[in-house]
Amino acid sequence: MSTTAVIPRIPSPDHAPDLRAALLAADFTADGLLELLGAPAYAALARSETVPALRATRGDGALAALVRLFLLQEPVAYERAAAVLPVAECIADGWLAAEGPGDSDSAYSDSAYSDSAYSDSAYSDGATVRATVDVRPYGGPAGEDWFIVSDLGCAVGGAAGAGGQGEGVVLGVGGASTTLAGITVRTPVAAALDLGTGSGIQALHAARHATRVTATDLNPRALDFTRLTLALSGAPEAELLTGSLFEPVADKTYDLIVSNPPFVISPGARLTYRDGGMAGDDLCRTLVQQAGDRLNDGGYAQFLANWEHVDGEDWQDRVRAWVPRGCDAWIVQREVQDATQYAELWLRDSGDHRGDPARYAARYEEWLDEFDARRTRAVGFGWITLRKAAAQQPSIVVEEWPHPVEQPLGEAVVAHFARQDYLRTHDDAALLADHFVLAADVVQEQVGEPGEEHPEHVVLRQGRGVRRATKVDTVGAGFAGACDGSLSAGRILDAIAQLLGEDPVALRDRTPVALRLLVGEGFLEPVSLRA
């Protein structure tokens, strides 16, 4: 039989409901995988390490067969697969490729088993099937059993995600994907846009709370995979449009825009899924700047992005300048890598470190030459959230927070902008007249030498959400502790002034700056916002 490998066709979603039913019946779900594999092997699989999962699936059983087939890319006996799946339909639709005894190990053999009429009797003993795509269980936020479909070997991004794959590769769910899903605002909306959809994870999330979902991508294969992800997850169909940035939706507006774009700052555009093809961070800048015109009033646009740290320029000023007119913004830098670390990360991602050392060195030089030419010394990674507000004085908060956070943060994002609205409409006198309560998750820490009567400083720390921490002085600590909503801020300050022997007028004059910080960062909540 022929052993010629051919490019696999993307499966048809025609019988996706039947395949979904079979997968669920075998408990091929996120919870089912965790129970079968155990936590260490499950975590290793998320890192693209397959050996622990191979060991855990040596036995019989429907779930073990599916794990080997769709996640580990191992051949499974035809009879064993047929006991779990509608194999004939899966082969006909292109989810599986069949191999007879003696066929090549290629998953895409053009043997007679690949395009003939499919029936169990057509297979002799020893026939096997292989998956043509990666089908990965993914648990939705309300316990939904979803499935993310991607190219084989590309279920996750990062160092092991897509090395050696072609430029049109479509990745599955990685850390960036889940980060964006976690920070996205999940209020019900009429229209949502997933720009640069990839395998469709953001469109799948949006389908839960958006009446209409549009997904775009420059790579037509990505739209095909998004269609499969939605169909196999039992989600409504989305409008799928091919094109770059906002070109496919130039005449439309949305209540929610999300994008995990090809933000990697690289010399050239070798890989469509990650390299933007524009100079430096121009793709992220363009995406953010153009988003304002595509948002409805009150709508949110949320992106992951990279930005350059350039000699002689403040990175905060750089990204602040991206914010379009008529929008509030919250920009958080989560990580910074110097030019060498950044180049090495993405050279490993593309598998260059496993090839010819001279070629690897030459490509490394290309990255550093590009950074030197642009005076780029480091690259920042983080989140950008826009809200269409049309306020006379927009709120643009740019900050660095590399510390651990608690996902999901969608509600925290909404609360952030609500606090900015409050602060924007309350002058100092209004602040002092208002009532506040200490946020429920805030604790106080005192730092100093053991046994010392007075601590060196006091720290307020949030136990949930962004998990911020901020230093406060004696007045700040006492004020926060007294905020239970019963007294106005001014009355509390007057009481503190009396206890400390300070001038109450002077204390009232200097406190609003600190009060704005505590409110803006969520340590104190105005009673009116809680209501």
Side-chain angles (χ1 to χ4, degrees), residues 54-374:
L54 284 168
R55 292 169 60 88
T57 56
R58 285 174 176 169
D60 295 330
L63 181 55
L66 294 178
V67 172
R68 284 186 164 258
L69 189 61
F70 287 114
L71 301 185
L72 303 178
Q73 300 162 38
E74 292 290 311
V76 171
Y78 181 90
E79 293 83 359
R80 186 179 182 190
V84 185
L85 300 171
V87 171
E89 293 175 352
C90 289
I91 296 174
D93 287 350
W95 296 92
L96 302 176
E99 298 171 342
D103 275 348
S104 165
D105 284 343
S106 168
Y108 313 122
S109 169
D110 63 352
S111 72
Y113 293 102
S114 298
D115 283 275
S116 61
Y118 303 100
S119 64
D120 291 346
S121 61
Y123 296 91
S124 59
D125 291 341
T128 60
V129 292
R130 286 182 179 266
T132 63
V133 291
D134 187 293
V135 176
R136 187 153 302 239
Y138 179 84
E144 300 94 341
D145 290 317
W146 290 341
F147 299 96
I148 310 302
V149 188
S150 64
D151 274 314
L152 285 174
C154 299
V156 294
Q165 299 290 336
E167 65 175 16
V169 66
V170 177
L171 295 186
V173 178
S177 301
T178 55
T179 293
L180 179 59
I183 68 173
T184 299
V185 172
R186 296 300 175 192
T187 53
V189 296
L193 170 65
D194 175 13
L195 191 152
T197 185
S199 56
I201 177 60
Q202 309 306 329
L204 182 57
H205 275 279
R208 295 184 66 250
H209 61 100
T211 303
R212 175 172 57 89
V213 176
T214 299
T216 69
D217 207 288
L218 182 63
N219 181 5
R221 295 185 75 249
L223 298 178
D224 290 330
F225 276 105
T226 293
R227 181 180 291 108
L228 295 178
T229 290
L230 294 174
L232 198 57
S233 298
E237 294 183 0
E239 179 185 33
L240 305 176
L241 302 174
T242 305
S244 177
L245 297 175
F246 290 102
E247 291 174 1
V249 294
D251 59 341
K252 300 177 181 179
T253 57
Y254 298 88
D255 306 300
L256 174 67
I257 298 171
V258 293
S259 183
N260 177 17
F263 52 67
V264 176
I265 300 170
S266 64
R270 293 172 53 205
L271 297 173
T272 303
Y273 76 90
R274 70 167 205 190
D275 299 326
M278 296 185 184
D281 52 18
D282 281 357
L283 182 133
C284 290
R285 174 185 58 80
T286 302
L287 179 62
V288 174
Q289 288 180 338
Q290 293 181 355
D293 291 337
R294 304 272 68 81
L295 278 177
N296 295 323
D297 289 343
Y300 290 89
Q302 298 185 266
F303 315 105
L304 302 185
N306 278 186
W307 43 79
E308 295 171 284
H309 285 228
V310 179
D311 278 346
E313 180 181 85
D314 188 316
W315 72 267
Q316 294 192 354
D317 292 340
R318 183 181 189 86
V319 294
R320 186 179 286 109
W322 295 0
V323 178
R325 182 172 299 179
C327 289
D328 294 334
W330 186 19
I331 301 170
V332 182
Q333 180 168 270
R334 296 286 291 151
E335 182 180 3
V336 180
Q337 291 186 322
D338 66 44
T340 60
Q341 292 174 312
Y342 191 80
E344 291 163 12
L345 169 66
W346 296 110
L347 286 168
R348 288 194 301 270
D349 172 83
S350 56
D352 289 287
H353 64 303
R354 294 194 292 268
D356 176 28
R359 185 176 179 84
Y360 172 80
R363 285 185 167 164
Y364 201 151
E365 289 272 10
E366 290 176 6
W367 284 71
L368 297 186
D369 287 345
E370 178 80 6
F371 285 144
D372 284 345
R374 297 182 57 83

Side-chain angles (χ1 to χ4, degrees), residues 372-398:
D372 284 345
R374 297 182 57 83
R375 297 184 296 112
T376 300
R377 296 296 171 253
V379 176
F381 169 84
W383 318 328
I384 297 178
T385 297
L386 306 177
R387 185 188 60 162
K388 190 70 169 288
Q392 288 186 345
Q393 294 181 330
S395 167
I396 302 177
V397 177
V398 184

